[in-house]
């Protein structure tokens, strides 16, 4: 028999904004759990996922007791049932609890006085009689009847789904999305739920009542494996032979190539999979890339009626006012950006990309009399958007914010049916943008928009599939300028030249020469922490703002992983503050932290850096307040996985940001993690000083490893 506690919910002290997770207080009246016997007639804390909470009825919570290291004994509810009220007082409280709109205490008493202990049966089976009670009418009676049946049905559905193997949270989410159609979907093709429940769980549930080689499962596995292979490699096309090899591993019995091809061809005929030159991809991948090319050709076909001579006059005037001189490449980039409605400008650090953006914006405002609201600067991350806005003097947004991402519907409010009004769109850090986000951006732009992409083609490609910036640069007919001349350097400076040497795959023997902004510290893995400890203490002694000092590493675990680096640095920079354990980490007020997911509701995005301004307790529940550049966001239990310490962060998370002082950890144990574009991206985060701690052999190996350059995409074959 499943262990349970029975009783009433006395108070909800926390509800997650993003799901049904709740924390509260529970009065235990009965239990069959020996561990909970001592809490009968007492109040304990509980956690779990619930659809609706009614404090005026009893619940049976199925789960187990556990001891939280900070909050003590709590009951972890894995599933639950609502216990129907069994006496007249309970019925009155239930009816007047607020679940049934328009039924107050007075009307509830009249209903129970009339029908007594049979009130629930009357509501379900004879609501016409309910309508005759003073204070009721037929409309109210039907509403109460329907709501009661809905509550019972929802509870039954949750219990049934829980029996299949779905969690309470998953069950509630699926019921809210699909309603009564849900069980038909589960019966016909459970894999349709893959957007909301992991494929592995769906597959496990399916195999509990089906053979492994059914048509439904084979087709689902083909689509799932294409998806996984693309996200593992960054490719958007998968070779059929490689897909078949992976498919065979999903079956205990023999899986033949004939069966594979037959089911693959069915998916191709159904337009769920697309075949291309011996390779396959999911329709949504193919559709995104084809749509990108189509939209770019549409935008490019509209030319600005401007001659280069007139634009050059504006450039001369701009140079004179700002006391700068553009080189030939930079002038070409400005002129071509104004003449062409789609244009790409690439270049490494110090080549003047930001300076050119500023000039283009000002000249466009002068030539076309654009206002600030006609121009939008966009970037993939909040930090890079803020940096661009400060440099150019025009408002900048993340692409998600510009397109008005709706978390509830998981769609953009700016789309092909509701286009943005801006006339000029400039996207910085475009190497980070994946094909799906860029496709969505193009759909939301007006027909005669001017769209400029700015980026560094040598940086890391997007985390999602595709190699957008590099692919577009290599498509015939798409106009672009590559800036090569380095300007942003001082005498004795090496960072920009080092980046160029890495890009050109130079082999390094040593770094004997002394530079004003770069130092390589040769170290074995055991001594890296010793060197970092020394560097951090010097930074603290010099009172360098921690915002301008960033450590970068490729992975979280291990001796020199990000987690250990953060623990060391938090003790050095913030060790005098009281620490609080959250999960397996400790946090203090003033700790530097990074947001790990996009949270549109709170206007904070993946990669944003903030500082803990307060750690407090509300009803014994921890609340962490994080200050993101003056914007405060509050986190409670169930949301602490949205952030982590950020004294050290991953190189991927740093992309789109710049820091005055950067330390890169290049341990030998990380050797397999590093490659050319990763080390290049790490190096180019530094503005004033750069230190690399590690092995020169590992550094050279990283520079020569080029596998990130080989993403196989449809756009590469155009």
């Amino acid at each position: 028999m499943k262990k349970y506690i029975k009783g009433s919910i006395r108070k909800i002290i926390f509800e997650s904004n993003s799901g049904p997770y709740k924390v509260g207080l529970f009065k235990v009246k009965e239990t069959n759990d020996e561990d909970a016997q001592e809490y009968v007639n007492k109040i304990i804390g509980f956690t779990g996922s619930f659809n609706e909470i009614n404090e005026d009825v009893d619940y049976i919570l199925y789960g187990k007791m556990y001891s939280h290291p900070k909050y003590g004994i709590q009951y972890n509810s894995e599933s639950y049932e609502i216990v129907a009220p069994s006496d007249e007082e309970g019925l009155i409280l239930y009816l007047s609890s607020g679940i049934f709109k328009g039924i107050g205490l007075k009307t509830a008493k009249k209903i129970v006085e009339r029908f007594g202990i049979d009130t629930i049966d009357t509501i379900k089976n004879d609501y016409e009689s309910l309508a005759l009670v003073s204070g009721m009418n037929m409309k109210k009676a039907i509403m109460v009847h329907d709501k009661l049946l809905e509550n019972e049905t929802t509870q039954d559905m949750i219990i049934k789904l829980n029996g299949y193997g779905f969690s309470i949270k998953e069950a509630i989410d699926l019921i809210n999305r699909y309603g009564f159609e849900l069980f038909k979907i589960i019966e016909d093709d459970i894999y349709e739920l893959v957007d909301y429940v992991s494929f592995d769980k769906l597959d496990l549930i399916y195999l509990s009542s089906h053979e492994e080689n059914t048509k439904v499962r084979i087709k689902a596995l083909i689509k799932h494996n294409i998806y996984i292979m693309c996200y593992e490699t960054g490719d958007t096309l998968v070779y059929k032979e490689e897909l078949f090899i992976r498919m065979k591993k999903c079956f205990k019995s023999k899986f033949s190539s004939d069966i594979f091809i037959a089911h693959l061809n069915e998916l191709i005929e159904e337009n769920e999979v697309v075949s291309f030159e011996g390779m396959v991809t999911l329709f949504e991948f193919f559709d995104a890339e084809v749509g990108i090319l189509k939209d770019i050709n549409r935008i490019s076909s509209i030319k600005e009626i401007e001659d280069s001579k007139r634009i050059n006059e504006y450039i001369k005037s701009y140079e004179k006012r700002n006391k700068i001189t553009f080189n030939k490449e930079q002038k070409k980039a400005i002129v071509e950006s104004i003449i062409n409605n789609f244009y790409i400008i690439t270049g490494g650090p110090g080549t003047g990309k930001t300076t050119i953006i500023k000039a283009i914006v000002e000249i466009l405002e002068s030539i076309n009399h654009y206002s600030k609201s006609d121009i939008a600067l966009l970037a993939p991350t909040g930090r890079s958007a803020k940096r661009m806005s400060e440099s150019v003097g025009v408002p900048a947004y993340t692409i998600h914010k510009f397109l008005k991402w709706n978390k509830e519907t998981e769609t953009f409010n700016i789309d092909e049916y509701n286009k943005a009004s801006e006339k000029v769109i400039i996207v910085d850090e475009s190497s980070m943008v994946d094909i799906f986000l860029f496709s969505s951006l193009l759909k939301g732009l007006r027909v005669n928009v001017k769209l400029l992409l700015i980026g560094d083609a040598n940086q890391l490609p997007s985390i999602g599939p595709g190699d957008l910036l590099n692919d577009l640069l290599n498509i015939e007919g798409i106009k672009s300028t590559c800036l090569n001349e380095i300007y942003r350097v001082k005498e004795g400076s090496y960072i920009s030249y080092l980046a160029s040497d890495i890009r050109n795959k130079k082999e390094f023997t040593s770094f004997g020469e002394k530079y004003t902004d770069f130092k390589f510290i040769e170290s074995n893995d055991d001594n890296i922490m010793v060197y970092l400890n020394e560097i951090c203490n010097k930074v603290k002694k010099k009172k360098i703002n921690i915002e301008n000092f960033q450590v970068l590493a490729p992975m979280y675990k291990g001796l020199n992983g990000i987690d250990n680096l953060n623990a060391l640095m938090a003790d050095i920079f913030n060790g005098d503050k009281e620490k609080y354990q959250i999960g397996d980490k400790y946090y203090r007020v003033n700790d530097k932290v990074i947001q790990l997911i996009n949270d549109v509701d709170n206007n904070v995005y993946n990669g944003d850096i903030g500082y803990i301004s307060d750690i407090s307790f509300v009803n014994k529940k921890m609340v962490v307040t994080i200050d993101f550049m003056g914007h405060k966001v509050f986190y409670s239990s169930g949301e602490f996985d949205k952030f982590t310490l950020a004294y050290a962060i991953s190189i991927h998370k740093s992309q789109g940001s710049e820091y005055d002082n950067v330390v890169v950890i290049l341990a030998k144990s990380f050797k397999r993690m590093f490659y050319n574009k990763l080390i290049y991206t790490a190096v180019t985060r530094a503005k004033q000083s750069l230190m690399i701690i590690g092995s020169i052999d590992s550094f050279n190996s990283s520079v020569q490893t080029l596998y990130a350059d080989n993403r196989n995409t449809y756009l590469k074959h155009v």
Side-chain angles (χ1 to χ4, degrees):
M1 180 181 286
K2 292 168 68 174
K3 292 183 178 181
Y4 70 86
I5 57 173
K6 179 180 177 182
S8 58
I9 292 173
R10 291 301 177 90
K11 189 175 185 180
I12 297 298
I13 58 178
F14 170 76
E15 290 186 78
S16 172
N17 290 326
S18 57
Y21 180 80
K22 293 176 176 63
V23 179
L25 302 176
F26 192 89
K27 175 71 177 289
V28 181
K29 297 178 182 178
E30 177 187 319
T31 183
N32 69 346
D33 188 341
E34 290 184 5
D35 295 334
Q37 285 292 344
E38 62 181 292
Y39 298 100
V40 173
N41 296 321
K42 294 179 182 178
I43 293 176
I44 64 169
F46 76 92
T47 63
S49 294
F50 298 82
N51 195 21
E52 288 184 23
I53 286 294
N54 184 352
E55 296 178 8
D56 295 313
V57 298
D58 282 352
Y59 284 78
I60 296 176
L61 307 186
Y62 297 100
K64 59 185 177 182
M65 303 290 295
Y66 77 103
S67 179
H68 190 281
K70 196 167 190 69
Y71 305 115
I73 298 297
Q74 291 184 324
Y75 196 82
N76 182 19
S77 173
E78 296 168 357
S79 62
Y80 70 93
E81 292 180 29
I82 299 173
V83 181
S86 57
D87 57 34
E88 292 188 0
E89 183 181 352
L91 287 165
I92 292 168
L93 288 172
Y94 178 54
L95 292 176
S96 61
S97 65
I99 289 178
F100 307 101
K101 292 180 181 178
I103 309 297
L105 182 61
K106 188 176 178 181
T107 303
K109 284 181 177 178
K110 289 179 182 178
I111 293 170
V112 176
E113 283 172 3
R114 179 123 179 206
F115 302 113
I117 204 70
D118 297 323
T119 294
I120 297 296
D121 287 337
T122 302
I123 292 172
K124 287 196 286 188
N125 304 311
D126 187 16
Y127 60 82
E128 292 89 349
S129 297
L130 180 65
L132 300 175
V133 175
S134 176
M136 292 294 293
N137 54 42
M138 187 57 72
K139 184 179 179 181
K140 280 187 179 181
I142 292 172
M143 180 274 295
V144 173
H145 166 268
D146 290 350
K147 185 64 178 177
L148 183 66
L149 292 183
E150 179 190 324
N151 287 346
E152 288 189 349
T153 301
T154 299
Q155 181 176 324
D156 290 342
M157 289 173 73
I158 289 172
I159 292 169
K160 187 174 180 181
L161 289 168
N162 196 234
Y164 281 142
F166 294 102
S167 69
I168 294 289
K169 182 180 184 303
E170 290 166 342
I172 292 170
D173 187 32
L174 292 173
I175 290 167
N176 289 337
R177 289 179 185 278
Y178 295 102
F180 295 110
E181 291 294 312
L182 178 59
F183 289 100
K184 186 176 187 309
I185 292 170
I186 291 173
E187 183 179 337
D188 292 346
D189 186 355
I190 193 172
Y191 299 101
E192 286 186 26
L193 306 177
V194 73
D195 287 342
Y196 312 107
V197 180
S198 75
F199 183 91
D200 289 342
K201 175 174 277 192
L202 295 175
D203 197 41
L204 199 63
I205 294 170
Y206 184 83
L207 287 173
S208 67
S209 56
H210 296 82
E211 296 294 324
E212 69 169 359
N213 56 355
T214 65
K215 177 175 288 192
V216 167
R217 183 171 185 261
I218 293 171
K219 290 166 76 171
L221 278 167
I222 289 173
K223 291 190 292 182
H224 175 67
N225 279 314
I226 293 173
Y227 180 89
I228 293 299
M229 290 170 76
C230 286
Y231 270 90
E232 284 178 350
T233 61
D235 296 340
T236 61
L237 293 170
V238 172
Y239 285 98
K240 292 179 184 178
E241 294 82 358
E242 293 178 3
L243 176 60
F244 174 59
I245 291 169
R246 189 170 184 125
M247 283 289 296
K248 287 200 296 184
K249 296 177 181 177
C250 300
F251 296 87
K252 294 178 181 176
S253 57
K254 184 179 179 182
F255 181 70
S256 71
S257 59
D258 289 341
I259 292 174
F260 167 67
I261 293 298
H263 288 83
L264 181 62
N265 286 339
E266 276 191 38
L267 288 169
I268 292 169
E269 289 172 13
E270 294 163 357
N271 285 329
E272 293 196 56
V273 170
V274 176
S275 180
F276 178 79
E277 296 183 1
M279 298 170 285
V280 291
T281 188
L282 297 177
F283 175 79
E284 54 263 38
F285 287 62
F286 183 77
D287 187 53
E289 291 190 278
V290 169
I292 286 169
L293 203 55
K294 181 180 176 182
D295 286 337
I296 287 175
N297 288 334
R298 170 181 55 80
I299 294 170
S300 299
S301 67
I302 302 173
K303 299 269 187 179
E304 292 291 326
I305 306 174
E306 290 290 346
D307 62 81
S308 58
K309 185 176 179 182
R310 182 171 179 236
I311 299 169
N312 276 309
E313 290 300 320
Y314 277 98
I315 292 174
K316 285 179 184 178
S317 175
Y318 182 89
E319 288 176 317
K320 188 174 180 180
R321 286 195 313 276
N322 292 278
K323 297 178 181 179
I324 61 174
T325 302
F326 292 117
N327 65 29
K328 187 177 178 181
E329 286 174 346
Q330 292 171 327
K331 285 180 182 177
K332 179 194 171 191
I334 297 170
V335 172
E336 293 287 315
S337 294
I338 294 170
I339 291 175
N340 295 282
N341 269 6
F342 184 81
Y343 201 74
I344 303 174
I345 301 172
T346 67
T351 56
K353 295 191 299 295
T354 303
T355 304
I356 286 177
I357 295 173
K358 192 172 182 180
I360 291 169
V361 167
E362 189 172 317
I363 293 170
L364 280 171
E365 288 174 341
S366 300
I367 291 177
N368 296 319
H369 307 291
Y370 288 153
S371 66
K372 297 291 185 188
S373 62
D374 289 325
I375 301 172
L377 305 183
L378 308 182
T381 68
R383 197 172 179 87
S384 54
K386 180 176 184 290
R387 179 165 51 84
M388 185 162 56
S389 180
E390 290 171 346
S391 300
V392 180
V394 174
Y397 314 92
T398 64
I399 300 173
H400 277 82
K401 187 173 182 180
F402 175 76
L403 293 176
K404 298 181 180 177
W405 174 251
N406 186 321
K407 190 171 75 173
E408 296 300 318
T409 61
E410 296 183 347
T411 58
F412 291 110
N413 289 335
I414 297 294
D415 56 21
E416 58 264 53
Y417 309 109
N418 179 37
K419 292 182 179 288
S421 61
E422 284 79 0
K423 298 172 183 176
V424 179
I425 304 293
I426 301 176
V427 183
D428 197 16
E429 299 289 353
S430 54
S431 66
M432 296 175 65
V433 181
D434 66 40
I435 57 171
F436 301 112
L437 184 56
F438 192 60
S439 174
S440 296
L441 175 62
L442 289 170
K443 288 174 184 175
L445 301 182
R446 51 191 282 167
V447 174
N448 60 338
V449 72
K450 180 179 288 296
L451 177 59
L452 305 180
L453 301 188
I454 316 294
D456 185 346
N458 295 289
Q459 284 189 33
L460 292 169
S462 61
I463 293 175
D467 193 7
L468 182 70
L469 183 59
N470 277 294
D471 285 350
L472 294 180
L473 286 168
N474 289 300
I475 293 176
E476 188 177 349
I478 291 182
K479 297 182 180 297
S480 65
T481 293
C482 181
L483 306 174
N484 293 301
E485 191 170 344
I486 298 171
Y487 279 89
R488 196 181 65 200
V489 294
K490 298 177 182 178
E491 188 176 347
S493 176
Y494 183 53
I495 294 173
S496 295
Y497 295 111
L498 174 62
S500 180
D501 288 341
I502 292 170
R503 185 177 67 240
N504 293 324
K505 306 169 191 64
K506 175 182 174 180
E507 186 170 350
F508 299 85
T509 54
S510 68
F511 291 100
E513 189 175 345
K514 290 192 175 181
Y515 303 103
T516 59
D517 62 351
F518 174 69
K519 186 175 183 180
F520 192 101
I521 301 173
E522 182 81 30
S523 172
N524 60 36
D525 286 10
D526 292 337
N527 288 326
I528 285 176
M529 283 287 199
V530 177
Y531 283 116
L532 182 62
N533 182 74
E534 184 181 334
I535 292 167
C536 290
N537 278 298
K538 284 182 180 178
V539 167
K540 185 177 180 182
K541 189 175 181 180
K542 291 180 179 179
K543 297 183 178 178
I544 294 173
N545 191 326
I546 194 65
E547 185 175 351
N548 295 319
F549 176 70
Q550 189 61 58
V551 174
L552 304 178
M555 60 189 293
Y556 283 85
K557 301 304 178 184
L559 174 64
N560 297 299
I562 292 167
D563 289 341
N564 279 347
L565 299 176
N566 271 318
L568 169 72
M569 295 173 70
D571 284 342
I572 294 171
F573 291 112
N574 210 20
D576 57 338
K577 303 285 194 308
E578 182 180 0
K579 62 183 180 180
Y580 301 85
Q581 186 171 6
I582 300 176
D584 60 350
K585 296 183 179 69
Y586 289 92
Y587 294 88
R588 304 169 171 90
V589 172
N590 291 341
D591 267 341
K592 183 179 183 180
V593 293
I594 186 169
Q595 177 77 7
L596 298 175
I597 63 169
N598 290 330
D599 186 347
V600 179
D601 291 345
N602 285 310
N603 193 27
V604 60
Y605 297 88
N606 185 3
D608 286 354
I609 299 288
Y611 296 85
I612 295 177
S613 60
D614 184 53
I615 298 176
S616 56
F617 292 85
V618 179
N619 295 321
K620 297 184 179 180
K621 196 68 186 174
M622 183 185 289
V623 176
V624 177
T625 306
I626 301 177
D627 189 331
F628 293 95
M629 298 178 290
H631 172 60
K632 291 188 176 180
V633 180
F634 304 92
Y635 299 80
S636 299
S637 178
E639 299 178 310
F640 295 143
D641 59 350
K642 292 181 178 179
F643 65 86
T644 191
L645 290 171
Y647 299 99
I649 63 175
S650 72
I651 298 165
H652 279 89
K653 290 288 185 187
S654 75
Q655 196 169 3
S657 302
E658 288 183 334
Y659 312 92
D660 288 348
N661 310 284
V662 171
V663 176
V664 180
I665 305 299
L666 190 61
K668 277 192 174 180
S669 58
F670 296 159
K671 189 173 180 179
R672 61 185 177 83
M673 301 290 297
F674 271 101
Y675 49 94
N676 186 280
K677 287 196 172 184
L678 191 70
I679 192 69
Y680 177 89
T681 300
V683 165
T684 54
R685 299 311 90 206
K687 291 195 292 183
Q688 295 180 9
S689 78
L690 169 69
M691 287 187 184
I692 299 177
I693 310 175
S695 157
I696 191 74
D697 291 338
S698 296
F699 184 79
N700 271 317
S701 175
S702 305
V703 171
Q704 303 305 320
T705 302
L706 309 175
Y707 72 80
D709 293 338
N710 300 321
R711 290 190 171 187
N712 185 23
T713 68
Y714 170 74
L715 289 177
K716 278 188 170 62
H717 296 270
V718 174

